[in-house]
Structures are given as structure tokens and as C-alpha cells.
Amino acid sequence: MSIYKKIAIGVISVFIFVILLNIGLNYWIKKQLPVIIEEKNKTAYNINYEKVEVSLFSQNIYAETLLVHPKNQPKDAKNGLYSKIESITIKHFNIWDLAFRDVIKAESIIINKPRVILYKKGEKLLNNSKSIKTEIIEPFRKIVAVSNIYLNDGTVDVVSLNTNKPIFSIKKIIVKLEGILITDTTLKEKIPMQFEKYTLVCDSLFYKPSHFYHINIGKISTENNYVKINNFSSIPQYSRREFVKRLDKEKDIYTIKLDSAEINKMDWGFKNDRFYFKANSIVMNHVDANIYRNKIPADDLSKKYLYNALLRKIKFPLQIDTLQIKKSKLVYEEEIDFTKGPGILNFDRFNLRALNLRSGFGLKKNADVKIKISCLFMKDSQLDVNWNFNVLDLKDSFHIEGTIADFNVAAMERFSKPYMNTTFTGTFNKYHFNFYGNDDVSKGNASLEYDDLKVKLFKKKKPEKVAKLKSAIVNLFVKNDSKDKPKNADVEVERIKEKSFYNFLWRSIAESLKKILI
């Protein structure tokens, strides 16, 4: 027999041996997989599959139609996590770990079209954040250990058993986690795994954070240190009348929508078991915000902290170098009851830029927060505001100054008539205020140039009719014109600590106008 025939026979023999070995190992692995997934499965869930294929050449495992459900499944009701997965591919698995350690250790796992529903008691998304770590991540890593996870076209729904309605829903999820590390050490951390890179994309997110509001997001895209969201809205669950009925104390009702928001150069996580969040910038585009307050509920007499204190009291490191709100709209409405309709203040073309936003946690020194606002007030008049304060100032000192130009005071009718039973005519050519304040008092000055100011009062019991005598008397005391020269007034106003910063500012402005005009 020639050397070539010997080589050919040897190659063929090895080839046949490999094929037989592959068939044998495939058979053995298929028998071993149910043992690992079912008999040695220490999770709280049963895992079943319709079909499985194993290739030793490519070292891949492919499974179709996987079903996951609780081991202790109630007979007449659902409780816990249920999932159907179209297919799973485990790439480049380690044969020896599978054979001798009963662990499917691999380079990556690809999960296609998982549909997950979690039925739970109560209406909180998570009753205990540690349950994800102890009931899902820790047990499953004893079955499958991979470096990379790729999830395609996933859906997750969390349903409250109390109401049989969704608390949370997210559609068309794409996830990439690369460089995953799960150890006994990481499992003790707040985030029970480490990873080098991550990507998350999803459409159509719904979340109900409380009885009063629900949140919708059109799309979320995040990769490592960048996040973008589109079509965000936070909407009250009830009509205004129903919402007010459910309030024990007076409280603002918020309706917020925005086209898009971006977070750039983001860094977050836990350090020494303490959560932290940092971002170079947050930019919000076309925010449409409505704030409504009704005076029917009882007054909330708790202290309202100024923004210095609110930031200072945050219990974790927070740092946002720049916050921008662009091309937006803010509407404030206040109503005594539901008979006259609300007083309305409009701020259109609203642009805000805030620098050095930080919590006070762990800081001994910090630059001032600097806020600059530019907008159209009551759809007609340019309003510019500069506002500075320091988070670490225990007196909660602040400085705020602003200017409004060419303001037709008749535009205030939508606020002044229902809320003050008064209308005005005339023009504020230029009003400027400059106030320094703290948690106790506001001091400063204001100046006003105005023309043809007149006041009209309406009857309390018949608000559609003018109180002619009262109007005539008031107009005797009002100085109609500033005669092309700014009139000035010094102001000092004590803070009502049960009221907000904006009430404090408005009272300071009102006091200055009272001194100038009367």
C-alpha cells in the first residue's frame, strides 16, 4: 500500500471518527441539556423548549420555542413571570464545562423575539430591587454563563394583579451587552453585573409611576454614555375635577410633553453602595408644560424649601454641567373653584440654560448655579431673567433680576379677571426688577416706564358687570403715566415659608408695582 493511500485512509478514518464523535456528543449533549435545564435548574422557573440542535463543529446550540413559567404556578390564576421565546442561539460554547460542570459557558447568547409578562401584586414596578439579583441573575448564571448578550425584538409587560391593568410595558426592545462579568463579588453590588459596552433601543414605553400619572415614551436609544428619548409625555390619570377630589391638600397638577431629549457624556452607577449620576449636558426640545393649581383642597402648610435647599438635600452625588430647554412653552393656571375658570399665565418661545446643577452631597465647595431664561410673556412681550444661587449656602441666598418690555397689560385679563376680578389697560414700556433674597426676606428695587394705565374692577357677585364707582375711585389713586421717565421703588418682602419660591418672587414684584403705581 502506497503512502498516499495510507494518508487517505487515515484522513477518511479521522473524518469518520469526528462525524461519529459529533453524532455521539450531539446525542449525549441533547440528553444532558434537559438535565441541566430541568433537573438541575435551581431557579423558581420551569424552562421548556420545542426543538434543540447542537453543532460541535461551530460549537453552537440552537433552540426553538422556549417557554418559561413559575414552578409553583397557581391553578386558577397567574402570578409571576411568563415568557415565550421564538429562538435562542448560544455561540461558541465550552464542551468541557457542559460535560463536567453542568454549565453552558459560551461566548454569546442571541435571544430572538422574547415575549415576557410579569404578573405581580400591588402597583409598584419593583417591590424589592434585590429580587432581580437573587431570583433571576444569580440562579440563571449557574445554567448559562456568557460574555455577550444580544436580544432582538423583545416585549415586556408588567401587570398588576390588583387591577389587572399594566404598570409597565415596553415594545420592540433591542439590547446588546458585551464584556459581561458576573461573579460572587459583583452579585454583592447594587448592579449585580459588570459590562464593557451596552446598547438599548426600544419603542413604545408605558409606565405608571403612581395612581395619579402615567408616562409614555415613543422611543429610547442609549449607548454607553449617551441617551436620546423621543415623544415623552407625563399625563394625569384623571380629569382636573376628579384629580382635585382625590387630593387631601393643595397640589400642582402637571401635564408635560416634549419632542426629544438628549443626555450627553453620561456617567452613572454605584460607588461605595451610593448611587451617582453625572452628565455633561441635558438638552430638551419643544417642551409643552402645563401647571394647574386649584384652591379647593386644604392648604399644604408644610415648609416649601428654596432650590438651594432642595438640591443640597439630595442624598446622592448629582452633577449636570449644562441643562437646556429649547423652543418650549409653559402655561400656569390657577383656579379658586370651578365657577369662573382658571387664571392663565403664558410663557411662549421659552428657552432656559442652567449651569452647574449639583446636589450638595459630599461637596465642600461649589460654583453658583446660573440660570438664564428668555421667553415671550402672555404671547406678546419679551421677558429675560437671570437667576443665581449657591447650593451650599445654608441661608439659601439668591439673586434674581429680569426685564419685560412692551407689555400690553390688557393681556393679563385671562389671569387677573377670574383670579383678581380686575382688568387693566395700558402699556408697560419697560419693567425691570432686581432682588436679593434668602429663606427669610427679599430686598431690592424695581423700575417701570408705562403709559395710559387704567384699572377696571368687576362686581364680586356678578363678575360680568363692572363696579363703576370702585373703578373710578381706584383710578383716582393710580398714576396713569410715568411721563417718559422710569419710576423706581425699593422693596422688602418677608417670605411665607409655606409658599413656593415663585409665590415669593410674585409678591416681591406685586409690592414693587403697588409702590410705583399708587
Side-chain angles (χ1 to χ4, degrees), residues 41 43-47 68-71 80-81 118 135-136 140:
N41 172 9
T43 73
Y45 298 94
N46 287 320
I47 304 171
V68 179
H69 58 86
K71 289 179 178 177
L81 184 145
L118 174 62
E135 296 179 20
I136 297 177
F140 273 99

Side-chain angles (χ1 to χ4, degrees), residues 11 24 107 120 163 175 201 217 226 275 378 469:
V11 169
E107 180 186 282
K120 63 185 300 300
T163 62
V175 175
V201 178
I217 300 176
Y226 172 80
F275 176 76
M378 300 305 284
L469 180 59

